[in-house]
């Protein structure tokens, strides 16, 4: 249902100047796009997605959460049950704890078989204490694993460790949209109109593909990743939705 956007202006990778703040004094000739306020980003999206009310509302709501999410996200705590060096699921060797949020802890690990970096989402035990929740996460991850799209973070599988469930996903070499926007705001180099539009286009492409078989259920700035090359990828497919479903929400 997002075809209107991508047909009019195909999603592309963001230029480095649109992702990484330019040095002070740099002039890329894009005066009208620089310095756009958060309200301006929301107005842009409202105009760019005129026909899809529910989708527009979801994305606008997610962007409005950006500042709150960026400050609410916590740093890794000593409560992390899996230390660096431990092997999870018989093949994923934990390298470091990356972040912690309401759903649990995110770890960077190395697949001992393929040698590639892996992201492990270690779910909070209280969220998957019920058998129904565990079954819902497994089913949701099976659906997410079937998604193959350049704007979707790959899901590899689900397992158990440290008294809870973990989800193994593609490691994205980049930063969450929430932190990118926060950093740009702090440095006074707002995301350009073009940059904001392309983020929306990539997210729409990802959701269009996912909605053929599943839904995200927890779209927010902290799960939208911008890679170093400018690619936008949506992660955490199905996890939040599975937990909410198991709780009857």
């Amino acid at each position: 249902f997002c075809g209107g956007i991508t047909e009019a202006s195909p999603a592309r990778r963001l230029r480095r100047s649109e992702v990484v703040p330019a040095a002070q004094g740099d002039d890329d000739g894009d005066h009208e796009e620089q310095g756009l306020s958060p309200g301006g980003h929301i107005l842009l999206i409202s105009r760019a997605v005129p026909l899809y009310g529910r989708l527009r509302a979801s994305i606008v709501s997610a962007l409005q959460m950006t500042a709150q999410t960026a400050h609410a996200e916590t740093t890794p705590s000593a409560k992390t049950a899996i230390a660096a060096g431990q092997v999870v699921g018989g093949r994923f060797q934990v390298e470091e704890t990356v972040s912690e949020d309401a759903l649990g802890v995110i770890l960077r690990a190395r697949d001992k078989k393929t040698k590639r970096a892996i992201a492990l989402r270690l779910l909070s035990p209280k969220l998957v204490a019920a058998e129904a929740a565990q079954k819902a996460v497994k089913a949701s991850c099976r659906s997410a694993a079937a998604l193959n799209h350049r704007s979707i973070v790959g899901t590899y599988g689900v397992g158990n460790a440290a008294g809870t469930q973990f989800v193994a996903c593609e490691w994205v070499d980049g930063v969450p949209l929430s932190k990118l926007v926060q950093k740009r705001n702090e440095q006074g180099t707002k995301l350009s109109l073009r940059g904001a539009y392309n983020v929306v286009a990539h997210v729409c492409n990802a959701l269009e593909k996912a909605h053929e078989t599943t839904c995200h259920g927890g779209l927010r700035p902290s799960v939208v990743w911008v890679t170093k090359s400018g690619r936008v990828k949506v992660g955490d497919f199905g996890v939040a939705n599975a937990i909410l479903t198991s709780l009857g929400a």
Side-chain angles (χ1 to χ4, degrees):
F1 55 87
C2 304
I5 292 180
T6 55
E7 289 173 6
S9 179
R12 59 171 177 81
R13 296 186 181 186
L14 304 182
R15 295 199 313 268
R16 184 170 179 78
S17 61
E18 294 173 319
V19 178
V20 180
Q24 288 187 343
D26 285 357
D27 185 359
D28 61 3
D30 201 8
H31 302 291
E32 293 183 355
E33 293 183 351
Q34 301 302 323
L36 186 65
S37 67
H41 288 150
I42 294 171
L43 177 61
L44 165 68
I45 293 167
S46 296
R47 291 173 177 172
V49 197
L51 302 179
Y52 311 106
R54 293 178 64 187
L55 173 62
R56 179 182 61 191
S58 296
I59 296 177
V60 169
S61 175
L63 286 175
Q64 288 173 329
M65 291 169 56
T66 298
Q68 299 173 348
T69 303
H71 290 290
E73 288 177 341
T74 60
T75 55
S77 70
K79 298 183 295 182
T80 304
I82 300 179
Q86 287 186 260
V87 177
V88 176
R91 61 183 291 182
F92 306 124
Q93 185 167 25
V94 175
E95 295 182 340
E96 63 176 327
T97 300
V98 178
S99 64
E100 187 174 354
D101 58 21
L103 293 179
V105 177
I106 298 178
L107 310 169
R108 176 188 169 99
R110 184 73 53 179
D111 189 334
K112 296 177 68 177
K113 292 185 178 180
T114 65
K115 306 303 181 184
R116 65 184 174 185
I118 295 291
L120 295 179
R121 173 172 276 288
L122 192 67
L123 299 174
S124 173
K126 63 182 180 181
L127 295 178
V128 290
E131 184 178 356
Q134 295 180 26
K135 289 182 178 180
V137 169
K138 287 182 179 180
S140 183
C141 286
R142 280 197 296 269
S143 297
L147 298 175
N148 183 17
H149 192 277
R150 62 184 182 176
S151 293
I152 293 178
V153 176
T155 298
Y156 300 139
V158 60
N160 293 281
T164 187
Q165 282 184 305
F166 70 85
V167 180
C169 302
E170 171 190 359
W171 175 260
V172 178
D173 191 11
V175 296
L177 178 62
S178 55
K179 291 187 177 180
L180 174 63
V181 172
Q182 180 188 19
K183 184 176 181 179
R184 297 292 288 265
N185 288 342
E186 291 173 349
Q187 296 184 345
T189 54
K190 306 290 186 180
L191 195 64
S192 69
L193 281 166
R194 183 178 299 159
Y197 182 85
N198 277 287
V199 168
V200 174
H202 280 290
V203 171
C204 285
N205 285 341
L207 295 180
E208 181 181 34
K209 175 62 177 179
H211 287 182
E212 294 175 1
T213 56
T214 185
C215 66
H216 192 287
L219 184 64
R220 57 197 184 280
S222 60
V223 301
V224 176
W225 290 80
V226 180
T227 72
K228 291 183 178 180
S229 64
R231 172 67 59 194
V232 178
K233 299 174 78 74
V234 181
D236 263 15
F237 265 96
V239 176
N241 185 55
I243 293 174
L244 291 173
T245 299
S246 68
L247 295 174

